[in-house]
Amino acid sequence: MQKRILYFLLTGLLGLASCTKVNDLSDDAEIISFAITNISPGIELDRENIIINDNVVLIPLEFGRKNFPLTISTDIRLSKTTDDAISANDQKLNLKEFTFENIYDSHNFYLISESGKPHPAEIKLVDKLNAEIELESINLTEEEASVSKWRNNIRIILKKNLSWPLIITPVFTKTEDAEYVDYNDGDSFTFTSPSDTEKHITLKAANGDERTWNIQLVSSIENSNFELWINEGSKSVNIDPTPGEGLGWATANNSFVQGTKPVLYNGGKAAEMTTGLQNLNSLGIGELITAGTIFTGKFKMKISALNNPPAMTHFGIPFTLKPISISVDAKYIAGSQLQQSVKESGKYKLHNLTGTDSGRIWVKILHWGGKGALEYHEKPVPDLTILGEGELIFDGKNQTLKNWHTYTIPIEYNSAYNHIEPTHIAIVMTSSRKGDIFIGAVGSKLTADNVVINY
């Protein structure tokens, strides 16, 4: 079952549950009991102190005494008013066995009541090691940085460019019985450059087990002012993928398409995306309308995929927070003639269309629960959940859009996934919103700068 189908199913179930109930069907569905019948490999879990709270099962595990992947066989008892249980992703749900890839892995599903109302449920491990740490404050202002904690990572998110080296002096609180192994209260960390992003603190619990905490320095999204480019002044100009390929911004520029370039703006640079026409008759493809784009992710050139642009654009970079919106400076002007490349007799040919071109900026907060690296092309992917999204359309008929303006795009979250943490963010900008199906106007331009993540 695809994610979108599941979403509409759950939405429909919620709507059904809100209507007048037939024959007094119950809205309740819950986990009554949970027991572990087998563990592989044979390590010790605390079977006696498993906690069930609001359909969340917490299985205690000592942090320093684990071996993964860990598979447990279970005996789960559900309430009599539970009519069904369905997976929260595209994998088949098996309530008798769960595999955990690491301490942070979890299994999410829905219990469906007699009346059709869905109830989120989760099976997860919890760390028994009593060696917690909290970052109370740092020597930066709220305008300069914010702080968050995710798993064993303490993240310092920079909100503006600061000078290097950057010295961070933290104030921590820790579990009373835990001891620092390699740190003293009042010590500072020196981050020498934007590529120097992580320091470490190790805590030893009273039982002797140790946990390492990662102190991470994170830009909201690096190079979001679009100042850094490579191969400027050449036919192969491209956005600099700082801090690395697949971790920052990318474009669909390649040896055939140069749709995005830097332009001067407000004392610096901005990204100008332009829709063009590519004559690929020599390759037997024909004439293609190609939109200019810039996005978080990476671009993989494939000659065999020139007539399928989405297959070459991999959207999404690692990101673990839930922003409320993004802001961007932008302006837009549509080309004069809307056209579409249509495949006829094996080649794409141009056809004029009525109407006006439009640009688009969209953002999606994602959770990738699959194995390996995320591969996302704005189509449903097994084990990928869209937690929140926002969109801005630039209507080419509106002539006021040709002037610079700061736009804020709210991110609306699906409340059914409030219990799921983000893993990636995808932000995509394009000069022709339907460029992926070769619809656009030659000369349409979307120019953007200063992307800001708002919390």
PDB file of all heavy atoms in Angstrom, residues 5 9 13 36-37 55 72 106 118 186 197 278 287 301 308-309 340 398 424 428:
ATOM      1  N   ILE A   5      -1.962   6.447  -0.445  1.00  0.00           N
ATOM      2  CA  ILE A   5      -3.187   5.681  -0.251  1.00  0.00           C
ATOM      3  C   ILE A   5      -3.455   5.500   1.232  1.00  0.00           C
ATOM      4  O   ILE A   5      -4.580   5.638   1.709  1.00  0.00           O
ATOM      5  CB  ILE A   5      -3.075   4.319  -0.965  1.00  0.00           C
ATOM      6  CG1 ILE A   5      -2.934   4.539  -2.479  1.00  0.00           C
ATOM      7  CG2 ILE A   5      -4.280   3.451  -0.653  1.00  0.00           C
ATOM      8  CD1 ILE A   5      -2.699   3.262  -3.250  1.00  0.00           C
ATOM      9  N   LEU A   9      -6.609   6.686   3.373  1.00  0.00           N
ATOM     10  CA  LEU A   9      -7.342   5.682   4.126  1.00  0.00           C
ATOM     11  C   LEU A   9      -7.534   6.109   5.559  1.00  0.00           C
ATOM     12  O   LEU A   9      -8.641   6.072   6.098  1.00  0.00           O
ATOM     13  CB  LEU A   9      -6.595   4.348   4.065  1.00  0.00           C
ATOM     14  CG  LEU A   9      -7.114   3.244   5.003  1.00  0.00           C
ATOM     15  CD1 LEU A   9      -8.517   2.849   4.605  1.00  0.00           C
ATOM     16  CD2 LEU A   9      -6.188   2.030   4.964  1.00  0.00           C
ATOM     17  N   LEU A  13     -10.873   7.023   7.558  1.00  0.00           N
ATOM     18  CA  LEU A  13     -11.239   6.333   8.793  1.00  0.00           C
ATOM     19  C   LEU A  13     -11.551   7.312   9.908  1.00  0.00           C
ATOM     20  O   LEU A  13     -12.485   7.125  10.680  1.00  0.00           O
ATOM     21  CB  LEU A  13     -10.116   5.394   9.210  1.00  0.00           C
ATOM     22  CG  LEU A  13      -9.919   4.142   8.326  1.00  0.00           C
ATOM     23  CD1 LEU A  13      -8.638   3.433   8.721  1.00  0.00           C
ATOM     24  CD2 LEU A  13     -11.112   3.220   8.402  1.00  0.00           C
ATOM     25  N   ILE A  36       7.947 -10.777  25.624  1.00  0.00           N
ATOM     26  CA  ILE A  36       9.002 -11.241  24.724  1.00  0.00           C
ATOM     27  C   ILE A  36       9.167 -12.745  24.905  1.00  0.00           C
ATOM     28  O   ILE A  36       9.378 -13.233  26.020  1.00  0.00           O
ATOM     29  CB  ILE A  36      10.328 -10.520  25.022  1.00  0.00           C
ATOM     30  CG1 ILE A  36      10.176  -9.018  24.757  1.00  0.00           C
ATOM     31  CG2 ILE A  36      11.454 -11.097  24.173  1.00  0.00           C
ATOM     32  CD1 ILE A  36      11.398  -8.212  25.139  1.00  0.00           C
ATOM     33  N   THR A  37       9.038 -13.505  23.803  1.00  0.00           N
ATOM     34  CA  THR A  37       9.149 -14.962  23.885  1.00  0.00           C
ATOM     35  C   THR A  37      10.512 -15.469  23.425  1.00  0.00           C
ATOM     36  O   THR A  37      10.910 -16.580  23.782  1.00  0.00           O
ATOM     37  CB  THR A  37       8.049 -15.622  23.033  1.00  0.00           C
ATOM     38  OG1 THR A  37       8.172 -15.179  21.673  1.00  0.00           O
ATOM     39  CG2 THR A  37       6.676 -15.243  23.560  1.00  0.00           C
ATOM     40  N   ASN A  55      -0.400   2.962  24.000  1.00  0.00           N
ATOM     41  CA  ASN A  55      -0.057   2.156  22.827  1.00  0.00           C
ATOM     42  C   ASN A  55       1.394   2.303  22.384  1.00  0.00           C
ATOM     43  O   ASN A  55       1.741   1.978  21.245  1.00  0.00           O
ATOM     44  CB  ASN A  55      -0.993   2.453  21.651  1.00  0.00           C
ATOM     45  CG  ASN A  55      -2.372   1.881  21.864  1.00  0.00           C
ATOM     46  OD1 ASN A  55      -2.537   0.857  22.535  1.00  0.00           O
ATOM     47  ND2 ASN A  55      -3.379   2.545  21.324  1.00  0.00           N
ATOM     48  N   ILE A  72      13.350  -9.744  18.091  1.00  0.00           N
ATOM     49  CA  ILE A  72      12.613 -10.297  19.223  1.00  0.00           C
ATOM     50  C   ILE A  72      11.296 -10.900  18.731  1.00  0.00           C
ATOM     51  O   ILE A  72      10.639 -10.358  17.843  1.00  0.00           O
ATOM     52  CB  ILE A  72      12.329  -9.235  20.305  1.00  0.00           C
ATOM     53  CG1 ILE A  72      11.445  -8.110  19.751  1.00  0.00           C
ATOM     54  CG2 ILE A  72      13.626  -8.675  20.867  1.00  0.00           C
ATOM     55  CD1 ILE A  72      10.994  -7.123  20.803  1.00  0.00           C
ATOM     56  N   SER A 106      12.674   1.921  15.673  1.00  0.00           N
ATOM     57  CA  SER A 106      11.353   1.675  16.262  1.00  0.00           C
ATOM     58  C   SER A 106      10.423   1.141  15.180  1.00  0.00           C
ATOM     59  O   SER A 106      10.722   1.224  13.987  1.00  0.00           O
ATOM     60  CB  SER A 106      10.776   2.950  16.885  1.00  0.00           C
ATOM     61  OG  SER A 106      10.523   3.926  15.895  1.00  0.00           O
ATOM     62  N   PRO A 118      -8.396   5.077  13.758  1.00  0.00           N
ATOM     63  CA  PRO A 118      -7.017   4.595  13.881  1.00  0.00           C
ATOM     64  C   PRO A 118      -6.334   5.146  15.125  1.00  0.00           C
ATOM     65  O   PRO A 118      -6.525   6.300  15.499  1.00  0.00           O
ATOM     66  CB  PRO A 118      -6.357   5.128  12.604  1.00  0.00           C
ATOM     67  CG  PRO A 118      -7.111   6.377  12.302  1.00  0.00           C
ATOM     68  CD  PRO A 118      -8.528   6.160  12.767  1.00  0.00           C
ATOM     69  N   GLY A 186      33.141  23.731  32.233  1.00  0.00           N
ATOM     70  CA  GLY A 186      33.732  25.015  31.866  1.00  0.00           C
ATOM     71  C   GLY A 186      34.643  24.952  30.663  1.00  0.00           C
ATOM     72  O   GLY A 186      35.035  25.992  30.116  1.00  0.00           O
ATOM     73  N   THR A 197      32.877  20.116  12.334  1.00  0.00           N
ATOM     74  CA  THR A 197      31.481  20.182  12.764  1.00  0.00           C
ATOM     75  C   THR A 197      31.130  19.338  13.982  1.00  0.00           C
ATOM     76  O   THR A 197      29.984  19.383  14.427  1.00  0.00           O
ATOM     77  CB  THR A 197      30.559  19.741  11.615  1.00  0.00           C
ATOM     78  OG1 THR A 197      30.895  18.392  11.234  1.00  0.00           O
ATOM     79  CG2 THR A 197      30.711  20.658  10.415  1.00  0.00           C
ATOM     80  N   GLN A 278      16.200  22.484 -25.222  1.00  0.00           N
ATOM     81  CA  GLN A 278      17.379  21.695 -25.552  1.00  0.00           C
ATOM     82  C   GLN A 278      17.115  20.851 -26.790  1.00  0.00           C
ATOM     83  O   GLN A 278      16.167  20.055 -26.820  1.00  0.00           O
ATOM     84  CB  GLN A 278      17.758  20.780 -24.375  1.00  0.00           C
ATOM     85  CG  GLN A 278      17.946  21.504 -23.060  1.00  0.00           C
ATOM     86  CD  GLN A 278      18.982  22.608 -23.133  1.00  0.00           C
ATOM     87  OE1 GLN A 278      20.053  22.439 -23.719  1.00  0.00           O
ATOM     88  NE2 GLN A 278      18.671  23.748 -22.527  1.00  0.00           N
ATOM     89  N   GLU A 287      13.364  17.639 -29.146  1.00  0.00           N
ATOM     90  CA  GLU A 287      13.459  18.944 -28.496  1.00  0.00           C
ATOM     91  C   GLU A 287      12.741  18.901 -27.157  1.00  0.00           C
ATOM     92  O   GLU A 287      11.547  18.579 -27.094  1.00  0.00           O
ATOM     93  CB  GLU A 287      12.864  20.037 -29.390  1.00  0.00           C
ATOM     94  CG  GLU A 287      13.634  20.243 -30.692  1.00  0.00           C
ATOM     95  CD  GLU A 287      13.009  21.313 -31.554  1.00  0.00           C
ATOM     96  OE1 GLU A 287      11.803  21.191 -31.875  1.00  0.00           O
ATOM     97  OE2 GLU A 287      13.713  22.284 -31.906  1.00  0.00           O
ATOM     98  N   MET A 301      23.896  12.463 -13.336  1.00  0.00           N
ATOM     99  CA  MET A 301      23.725  12.518 -14.779  1.00  0.00           C
ATOM    100  C   MET A 301      23.613  11.120 -15.379  1.00  0.00           C
ATOM    101  O   MET A 301      24.430  10.233 -15.085  1.00  0.00           O
ATOM    102  CB  MET A 301      24.909  13.263 -15.411  1.00  0.00           C
ATOM    103  CG  MET A 301      24.857  13.332 -16.924  1.00  0.00           C
ATOM    104  SD  MET A 301      23.443  14.287 -17.475  1.00  0.00           S
ATOM    105  CE  MET A 301      23.634  14.145 -19.247  1.00  0.00           C
ATOM    106  N   ASN A 308      13.832  11.743 -18.949  1.00  0.00           N
ATOM    107  CA  ASN A 308      13.158  11.486 -17.671  1.00  0.00           C
ATOM    108  C   ASN A 308      13.903  12.221 -16.565  1.00  0.00           C
ATOM    109  O   ASN A 308      14.567  11.611 -15.729  1.00  0.00           O
ATOM    110  CB  ASN A 308      13.110   9.982 -17.387  1.00  0.00           C
ATOM    111  CG  ASN A 308      12.368   9.654 -16.099  1.00  0.00           C
ATOM    112  OD1 ASN A 308      11.548  10.446 -15.628  1.00  0.00           O
ATOM    113  ND2 ASN A 308      12.662   8.502 -15.521  1.00  0.00           N
ATOM    114  N   PRO A 309      13.823  13.575 -16.537  1.00  0.00           N
ATOM    115  CA  PRO A 309      14.612  14.373 -15.585  1.00  0.00           C
ATOM    116  C   PRO A 309      14.467  13.970 -14.124  1.00  0.00           C
ATOM    117  O   PRO A 309      15.471  13.984 -13.394  1.00  0.00           O
ATOM    118  CB  PRO A 309      14.094  15.796 -15.824  1.00  0.00           C
ATOM    119  CG  PRO A 309      13.570  15.787 -17.209  1.00  0.00           C
ATOM    120  CD  PRO A 309      13.003  14.421 -17.420  1.00  0.00           C
ATOM    121  N   GLN A 340       4.877  22.525 -24.664  1.00  0.00           N
ATOM    122  CA  GLN A 340       5.116  21.192 -24.125  1.00  0.00           C
ATOM    123  C   GLN A 340       5.831  20.347 -25.158  1.00  0.00           C
ATOM    124  O   GLN A 340       5.528  20.403 -26.353  1.00  0.00           O
ATOM    125  CB  GLN A 340       3.812  20.499 -23.729  1.00  0.00           C
ATOM    126  CG  GLN A 340       4.048  19.107 -23.125  1.00  0.00           C
ATOM    127  CD  GLN A 340       2.780  18.449 -22.621  1.00  0.00           C
ATOM    128  OE1 GLN A 340       1.682  18.864 -22.964  1.00  0.00           O
ATOM    129  NE2 GLN A 340       2.936  17.419 -21.796  1.00  0.00           N
ATOM    130  N   ASN A 398       0.900  37.321 -12.853  1.00  0.00           N
ATOM    131  CA  ASN A 398       1.033  38.385 -11.868  1.00  0.00           C
ATOM    132  C   ASN A 398       2.344  39.144 -12.102  1.00  0.00           C
ATOM    133  O   ASN A 398       3.422  38.671 -11.748  1.00  0.00           O
ATOM    134  CB  ASN A 398       1.003  37.784 -10.456  1.00  0.00           C
ATOM    135  CG  ASN A 398       0.996  38.838  -9.365  1.00  0.00           C
ATOM    136  OD1 ASN A 398       1.227  40.019  -9.623  1.00  0.00           O
ATOM    137  ND2 ASN A 398       0.741  38.407  -8.142  1.00  0.00           N
ATOM    138  N   HIS A 424      15.202  13.843   6.972  1.00  0.00           N
ATOM    139  CA  HIS A 424      15.647  14.572   5.786  1.00  0.00           C
ATOM    140  C   HIS A 424      14.751  15.783   5.531  1.00  0.00           C
ATOM    141  O   HIS A 424      13.607  15.834   5.991  1.00  0.00           O
ATOM    142  CB  HIS A 424      15.602  13.681   4.532  1.00  0.00           C
ATOM    143  CG  HIS A 424      16.608  12.572   4.532  1.00  0.00           C
ATOM    144  ND1 HIS A 424      16.446  11.435   5.296  1.00  0.00           N
ATOM    145  CD2 HIS A 424      17.786  12.427   3.863  1.00  0.00           C
ATOM    146  CE1 HIS A 424      17.482  10.635   5.097  1.00  0.00           C
ATOM    147  NE2 HIS A 424      18.308  11.207   4.233  1.00  0.00           N
ATOM    148  N   VAL A 428      12.873  22.345  -3.038  1.00  0.00           N
ATOM    149  CA  VAL A 428      13.052  22.339  -4.489  1.00  0.00           C
ATOM    150  C   VAL A 428      12.474  23.619  -5.068  1.00  0.00           C
ATOM    151  O   VAL A 428      11.360  24.025  -4.722  1.00  0.00           O
ATOM    152  CB  VAL A 428      12.368  21.113  -5.130  1.00  0.00           C
ATOM    153  CG1 VAL A 428      12.572  21.111  -6.644  1.00  0.00           C
ATOM    154  CG2 VAL A 428      12.919  19.814  -4.528  1.00  0.00           C
TER     155      VAL A 428
END
